[in-house]
Amino acid sequence: MTDDRIRLWTPRELSDFTGIPVRTLADWRTTRSRRRGLGLPFVALSPRNVRYREEDIVAFIAGKLVAPTDGKDD
């Protein structure tokens, strides 16, 4: 039997995994930061209980990928 449940990460787990401070993750959840396109989507289970979906974490990291250049523009 497979476990098809969605993996939800706590802010602390995400912080430990990425090195992004918990306080920064909290700042990114503000309306102002979200309007500016900062941070990750999150699940608000209650006002003080938030989680992050694993698929959104993977997409966020993939979106931050910086590819090497050929060095001709240096």
Side-chain angles (χ1 to χ4, degrees):
M1 181 182 269
T2 62
D3 188 355
D4 293 332
R5 291 182 289 175
I6 297 170
R7 166 79 160 102
L8 297 176
W9 295 52
T10 66
R12 169 56 49 203
E13 290 171 326
L14 181 57
S15 176
D16 290 345
F17 182 69
T18 62
I20 299 169
V22 171
R23 182 70 240 165
T24 299
L25 295 171
D27 289 344
W28 285 351
R29 291 192 302 267
T30 64
T31 301
R32 181 178 178 204
S33 291
R34 288 186 321 207
R35 280 189 194 134
R36 294 175 53 208
L38 298 175
L40 296 91
F42 61 94
V43 178
L45 299 172
S46 72
R48 294 190 176 268
N49 190 353
V50 299
R51 297 291 187 268
Y52 297 91
R53 296 184 314 171
E54 188 158 343
E55 64 193 66
D56 294 325
I57 295 167
V58 170
F60 175 79
I61 292 170
K64 299 300 181 190
L65 184 65
V66 178
T69 62
D70 60 11
K72 293 179 182 177
D73 294 334
D74 293 340

